[in-house]
Amino acid sequence: MPTVGSCYIVAASPTGAWTGRVGAVACYTVGGWRFLAAVEGLTALVRSTGTFAVYRLGSWDLGTLTGTKLVVAGQQVVGSRANAIATPVGGTVVDAPCRDSVSQILMTLRQHGLIAT
C-alpha cells in the first residue's frame, strides 16, 4: 500500500486504478488515487534518480535539461554551441605533442556538443 502523498508518472500499459491514465501523474491520497493530466511543460522531480522529468510534445522526457545557457555561481560556463573549429594541419614547423593536445581538446568539445563537428 502506498503512503499518502506518494506520486508516480503512469507508464505505458497501466493496470488497475491506473488503466487509461498513461502519462498522467498518479498521487495517492486519503481518498485513494487522484490523477493529474500532464500538460506541456509540466515538470516533476524523480526522487529515485534525482533527475527532472518534463512533459514535452506528448510524452515525458526524463533527465534532459534544456536551456540557452548554464550559469554557475553567477558565471556563464556554457552558452550556445559555437561553430566548428578545424583540426590543426599543415604549417612549416610541426609540434606533434601540441597538435595532439589541441586535437584531443577539440574532440572532447565536439563530443559534448559544445562546438559543431
Side-chain angles (χ1 to χ4, degrees):
M1 187 63 115
T3 58
V4 172
S6 295
C7 296
Y8 304 90
I9 295 172
V10 180
S13 305
T15 60
W18 294 14
T19 299
R21 306 287 188 155
V22 174
V25 176
C27 299
Y28 193 73
T29 69
V30 175
W33 289 107
R34 300 292 183 252
F35 298 92
L36 173 66
V39 295
E40 187 69 17
L42 179 64
T43 303
L45 174 64
V46 180
R47 287 180 27 182
S48 62
T49 61
T51 59
F52 287 96
V54 180
Y55 194 77
R56 292 188 182 107
L57 304 173
S59 65
W60 286 97
D61 186 1
L62 281 75
T64 302
L65 297 176
T66 59
T68 57
K69 64 182 176 180
L70 174 62
V71 177
V72 176
Q75 178 71 37
Q76 180 175 328
V77 295
V78 178
S80 299
R81 183 163 74 169
N83 294 328
I85 299 171
T87 301
V89 294
T92 57
V93 177
V94 176
D95 182 342
C98 179
R99 184 173 286 178
D100 289 344
S101 295
V102 169
S103 294
Q104 288 294 319
I105 292 167
L106 291 173
M107 181 180 71
T108 301
L109 291 171
R110 290 177 184 128
Q111 286 175 336
H112 287 279
L114 298 175
I115 60 173
T117 56

